[in-house]
Amino acid sequence: FLFKISARTVLELGSELISSDVIAFYELIKNGFDAGTRSGVDIRFDICLRKNDYLTLRDRIATQAADVATLKQAIEAKLIPSASPDALSRYRQLIDAANNNLALYDALEKAHKECNSLIVSDTGSGMSIADLNKNFLVIGTASRKHDVEAALKLGKSTTPFLGEKGIGRLSAMRLGDRLRVETARAEEPTLNLLEIDWSAFADLDAMLDEIDVKPIVGGTKPKADWHGTRIIIYDLAEDWTERRVRD
């Protein structure tokens, strides 16, 4: 008889091990350096509308306190111009398509989940489909720990990796409910993609092996010799402001 693990155990494990946003970013940054990035790790906060403003506007729409045109103007007034043009364009497209309060409520919720994002990127070795399956999707993988222990046995003053527990990927769960990984090795012509909806793991009756998560081959790389990884996190958990980031 083999142990079975409920899907929600992954969420509980993540909340126990990644107890703050600081630790979450620290783990994601470590992963970039462990992958051999030579240009550091880049973090972008692509926020079209603050979460607090979203909640206020959503409540206003729900109470039907104004007509659709007035509510759309209120949303537009709160959009953050420094967000990426693509994200803002998509946000406005969703809002503009709504023709009544109910549709606007749904559009605002969809825009909030899909258009605000955190992007952590590196120019490290990148991952193949096999790497995603054998390492990224294996929680607690021991590959790095073996290398760290080998270095210590040889008496080296430094170890080859900052992380060794194989749980850094759970950091994305702390920051948002949806994860998209875009990655590739130098010799590969296309990107390798992986998408995870962490909310699917909250099903009380689901077992871990019932959650279907599979990497796929994506489109052409931005440059033929590009290699690295982009971790894109959507449906953000917190209200990100410049002050919060600095803190």
Side-chain angles (χ1 to χ4, degrees):
F1 183 80
L2 298 176
F3 278 111
K4 290 186 177 181
I5 302 176
S6 66
R8 62 187 176 86
T9 301
V10 173
L11 302 182
E12 293 171 359
L13 180 64
S15 65
E16 286 290 330
L17 297 176
I18 313 298
S19 57
S20 70
D21 294 337
V22 172
I23 293 175
F25 281 114
Y26 178 60
E27 292 291 338
L28 291 173
I29 292 168
K30 280 199 303 184
N31 283 352
F33 281 97
D34 283 344
T37 183
R38 295 185 178 182
S39 59
V41 175
D42 181 78
I43 301 175
R44 177 175 175 79
F45 295 79
D46 197 3
I47 310 298
C48 297
L49 183 71
R50 284 187 54 186
K51 186 169 184 176
N52 285 357
D53 289 335
Y54 154 72
L55 293 173
T56 300
L57 289 163
R58 188 187 65 176
D59 290 344
R60 186 178 175 188
I61 295 170
T63 58
Q64 299 185 343
D67 59 74
V68 173
T70 300
L71 291 168
K72 286 183 178 181
Q73 291 174 0
I75 294 171
E76 177 66 32
K78 290 294 185 179
L79 292 181
I80 301 173
S82 60
S84 69
D86 287 345
L88 282 172
S89 176
R90 174 60 175 161
Y91 210 108
R92 290 184 171 117
Q93 181 183 31
L94 289 168
I95 298 304
D96 289 345
N99 55 15
N100 58 59
N101 282 39
L102 180 60
L104 185 59
Y105 185 97
D106 292 340
L108 182 63
E109 184 174 31
K110 184 178 179 65
H112 175 73
K113 290 182 177 181
E114 296 183 0
C115 300
N116 293 329
S117 64
L118 300 180
I119 306 167
V120 182
S121 56
D122 67 68
T123 54
S125 58
M127 291 177 282
S128 64
I129 291 287
D131 292 330
L132 287 168
N133 277 316
K134 295 180 180 179
N135 294 321
F136 192 88
L137 288 175
V138 178
I139 298 172
T141 181
S143 57
R144 289 182 176 176
K145 187 168 182 62
H146 288 319
D147 291 338
V148 169
E149 290 179 347
L152 292 174
K153 287 181 180 178
L154 292 173
K156 294 183 178 180
S157 58
T158 59
T159 60
F161 298 113
L162 296 171
E164 59 179 84
K165 296 181 180 64
I167 51 87
R169 70 226 55 180
L170 298 182
S171 299
M173 182 198 307
R174 167 84 190 189
L175 300 171
D177 274 346
R178 291 178 52 219
L179 168 67
R180 178 180 171 89
V181 180
E182 300 177 353
T183 186
R185 301 187 74 86
E187 66 273 13
E188 295 181 306
T190 58
L191 292 170
N192 302 309
L193 308 178
L194 176 67
E195 295 197 8
I196 300 176
D197 182 354
W198 297 113
S199 64
F201 292 77
D203 185 341
L204 295 178
D205 298 318
M207 303 306 292
L208 186 56
D209 59 1
E210 295 173 353
I211 306 297
D212 188 25
V213 179
K214 292 180 181 178
I216 62 172
V217 176
T220 305
K221 295 192 300 186
K223 293 183 180 180
D225 60 347
W226 183 86
H227 53 85
T229 299
R230 295 178 79 230
I231 300 290
I232 309 169
I233 303 167
Y234 298 100
D235 199 357
L236 304 180
E238 299 294 345
D239 180 35
W240 287 103
T241 63
E242 182 176 349
R243 179 176 178 179
R244 183 181 179 85
V245 173
R246 290 186 181 280
D247 287 344

